[in-house]
Amino acid sequence: MGNRFQVKDRFADGAQYIDGQLRSGTSGRSHTVVDPATGEDVLTYELAGTADVDAAVAAAKRAFPVWSGATPGERSDALHRLAAVLAEQAEDFAHAESLQCGKPLKLSTEFDVPGTIDNTAFFAGAARHLQGQAAAEYSGDHTSYVRREAIGVVGSIAPWNYPLQMAAWKILPAIAAGNTIVLKPAELTPLTSLMFAQAAKEAGLPDGVINIVTGAGRDAGEHLVGHPDVVMTSFTGSTAVGKRVAEIATSTVKRLHLELGGKAPFLVFDDADLEAAAHGAVAASLINTGQDCTAATRAYVQRPLHDAFVARVAELMETVRLGDPFAPGTDLGPLVSHAQRDRVAAFVERARAYATVVTGGEVPVGELAAGAYYRPTLISGAAQDSEVVQSEIFGPVLVVLPFDTDDEGLDLANDTPYGLAASAWTRDLYRANRATREMKAGCVWVNDHIPIISEMPHGGYKASGFGKDMSSYSFEEYTQVKHVMYDNTAVAAKDWHRTIFGDR
């Protein structure tokens, strides 16, 4: 196995980052971060309890007046410095991310870390653009304009599949707009969230602006969402947990942003480039070992191409190299945990009763047996209403179904509760335009599937939630819109007063 990032000394003081300092949790319960590639323990730490959440929120509340009162230029400069610190520490971040998640180092190095640095640079620029409607005399007698102001303490919850990027997606728009934040990362993968907060301190951000509480969802998470001093909650995770977050947040009238599950369709029309579609399907279904809410999970292929597509995808999947995440030749690492691996395997085993496992569907033996590995899996012959087509598996599994007419293909693509991402594969401009109009998803790619950029929004339709990450659309969600109106007449008895008392 390749070199692994050493974390025990770095987090000897604990896995809570509150008011600029690492500290131990006070829940009385511990948790161990496990390397999913080997099953070996990485770090054991004390989980956060409600007292830790209270301390973190209090620190964020104290920091808010100074941070929100800083000029946009000052906040921008701080984020530019943070981007530089992240770039200096890019290798450490990539190794820590691969260690806790099991993702290949080439993915962490070429996607997760540079994407986070780019997000930071983007929001450094966005911090200077708190724009509102232009000042004007809309009523004739008054001058109106719009202010965008920070809203207060944000309490956010991030998932385990992209810990670094998800932490950045939560933290950056919030603090760029002048808010302070308490982030709860998944207890499985807290390392890079803690490192991000430490990097922010090195960049000169004030203590208390970014706080990290690492605890269980039912304890730390629910207490954070329901905390009376938290004014906004942003959650990324499963739809089931998102519903619980919404219940708690709405009971305290918080602003709410939810990025939930996905079951992305991959729609291949009969004029598509078969080789491009097959390569795209393998890459888009296996990225991060399929643990991606935008991953291609349902390939609908127009019948003239269906059999050739299945054969070519199976052939390509069988070339994917499973192995040590830190080895140069590794394409696919383990799932995040043995529990997640077993969950994925159970979906596939149940599918054997009603569908065909074309390739994969196995836990590897030999030197990979100790890790949470699962072979890339292709399933055909499943019905549209079957479990593997309708439910989010969150693993390296692609299901292929045929369709005949364009109408049928689009109907099938939209026929799940989810609507986060989708793609259409065609050489016909009119087909592509129709697909982008009619596919009910927050992102629709044409002849590609997966790429994201900081300037464009990410978020879903339907049971995939609401609100946006990245882009200026995300930034605006973390601000309060205030209308300011000045009287220009200097008249004591205004004409409209007669509707309350007196005559004209």
Side-chain angles (χ1 to χ4, degrees):
M1 290 289 182
N3 251 348
R4 275 158 167 71
F5 185 67
Q6 299 302 310
V7 299
K8 290 183 179 179
D9 292 341
R10 182 158 188 165
F11 299 111
D13 293 330
Q16 317 303 324
Y17 189 84
I18 300 171
D19 208 13
Q21 299 293 329
L22 285 173
R23 62 173 75 174
S24 186
T26 61
S27 70
R29 294 182 296 114
S30 63
H31 183 81
T32 299
V33 177
V34 175
D35 179 350
T38 63
E40 296 174 358
D41 293 352
V42 172
L43 175 71
T44 298
Y45 64 92
E46 297 299 314
L47 289 164
T50 57
D52 304 302
V53 174
D54 290 341
V57 172
K61 188 176 180 180
R62 286 193 301 271
F64 177 72
V66 172
W67 183 246
S68 63
T71 67
E74 289 168 337
R75 290 196 295 269
S76 176
D77 289 347
L79 290 177
H80 279 300
R81 293 195 301 269
L82 174 57
V85 173
L86 295 173
E88 291 169 2
Q89 300 177 9
E91 184 176 354
D92 282 353
F93 273 97
H95 279 76
E97 194 77 336
S98 288
L99 176 64
Q100 65 183 351
C101 299
K103 62 183 66 187
L105 187 60
K106 65 178 179 179
L107 181 62
S108 297
T109 301
E110 298 177 25
F111 184 71
D112 298 69
V113 174
T116 299
I117 295 169
D118 187 69
N119 283 173
T120 307
F122 173 83
F123 281 107
R128 291 180 177 265
H129 295 281
L130 283 168
Q131 296 177 343
Q133 194 167 2
E137 287 67 48
Y138 295 98
S139 77
D141 291 337
H142 306 82
T143 296
S144 288
Y145 68 90
V146 170
R147 290 176 56 89
R148 283 195 173 272
E149 299 178 346
I151 58 178
V153 177
V154 177
S156 293
I157 299 175
W160 48 257
N161 57 333
Y162 290 101
L164 176 59
Q165 289 208 81
M166 295 296 100
W169 286 12
K170 304 299 183 195
I171 291 169
L172 292 168
I175 66 172
N179 304 292
T180 55
I181 190 168
V182 179
L183 175 77
K184 192 197 89 66
E187 53 268 44
L188 286 174
T189 54
L191 304 181
T192 47
S193 298
L194 293 165
M195 292 167 63
F196 188 93
Q198 291 175 309
K201 181 167 185 171
E202 290 182 44
L205 274 75
D207 292 345
V209 172
I210 301 172
N211 305 274
I212 310 292
V213 290
T214 309
R218 290 190 177 179
D219 300 325
E222 292 199 1
H223 190 62
L224 177 61
V225 173
H227 199 289
D229 288 333
V230 170
V231 297
M232 176 179 173
T233 291
S234 178
F235 169 80
T236 296
S238 72
T239 298
V241 177
K243 291 177 180 178
R244 176 60 180 156
V245 169
E247 289 174 1
I248 300 169
T250 53
S251 69
T252 52
V253 198
K254 288 178 174 32
R255 186 176 297 194
L256 184 60
H257 168 209
L258 299 174
E259 198 265 271
L260 307 177
K263 191 71 177 174
F266 187 100
L267 187 60
V268 183
F269 292 99
D270 58 13
D271 67 331
D273 181 326
L274 177 62
E275 195 68 8
H279 278 81
V282 172
S285 62
L286 300 184
I287 186 171
N288 203 34
T289 318
Q291 299 166 123
D292 187 311
C293 47
T294 62
T297 60
R298 301 178 288 136
Y300 296 100
V301 185
Q302 207 151 23
R303 205 169 293 274
L305 290 185
H306 176 269
D307 292 351
F309 179 88
V310 170
R312 185 61 174 136
V313 168
E315 183 180 34
L316 289 171
M317 277 190 171
E318 289 164 5
T319 70
V320 173
R321 299 164 295 182
L322 272 69
D324 173 15
F326 293 89
T330 294
D331 296 320
L332 200 72
L335 286 98
V336 74
S337 68
H338 288 78
Q340 181 65 14
R341 190 271 313 275
D342 294 345
R343 178 181 179 276
V344 170
F347 270 101
V348 176
E349 290 308 305
R350 291 192 295 270
R352 293 183 191 276
Y354 55 81
T356 300
V357 177
V358 179
T359 189
E362 298 172 341
V363 174
V365 296
E367 63 179 13
L368 299 181
Y373 290 91
Y374 197 74
R375 294 201 182 281
T377 301
L378 181 65
I379 296 174
S380 67
Q384 175 67 12
D385 62 356
S386 63
E387 181 187 48
V388 290
V389 175
Q390 293 293 324
S391 299
E392 187 173 32
I393 299 173
F394 228 57
V397 179
L398 176 65
V399 185
V400 183
L401 299 89
F403 70 93
D404 291 304
T405 67
D406 290 14
D407 288 349
E408 181 191 11
L410 289 164
D411 286 345
L412 290 170
N414 287 328
D415 183 29
T416 72
Y418 301 106
L420 187 59
S423 65
W425 297 74
T426 177
R427 296 170 177 172
D428 187 309
L429 176 63
Y430 296 99
R431 269 178 161 170
N433 281 341
R434 182 186 178 192
T436 60
R437 289 194 309 271
E438 295 187 14
M439 295 176 99
K440 304 304 181 188
C443 176
V444 179
W445 294 280
V446 177
N447 295 327
D448 208 344
H449 192 117
I450 283 297
I452 54 175
I453 50 175
S454 297
E455 292 82 1
M456 290 291 113
H458 175 87
Y461 286 28
K462 303 190 292 185
S464 292
F466 49 84
K468 299 298 179 184
D469 288 312
M470 300 194 298
S471 81
S472 60
Y473 296 96
S474 159
F475 185 50
E476 291 173 358
E477 292 190 23
Y478 290 87
T479 63
Q480 189 72 266
V481 174
K482 178 186 287 184
H483 169 215
V484 178
M485 181 180 253
Y486 287 89
D487 170 62
N488 293 329
T489 67
V491 173
K494 294 178 172 56
D495 186 53
W496 74 265
H497 292 176
R498 66 186 173 79
T499 62
I500 308 304
F501 66 98
D503 299 317
R504 182 175 298 213

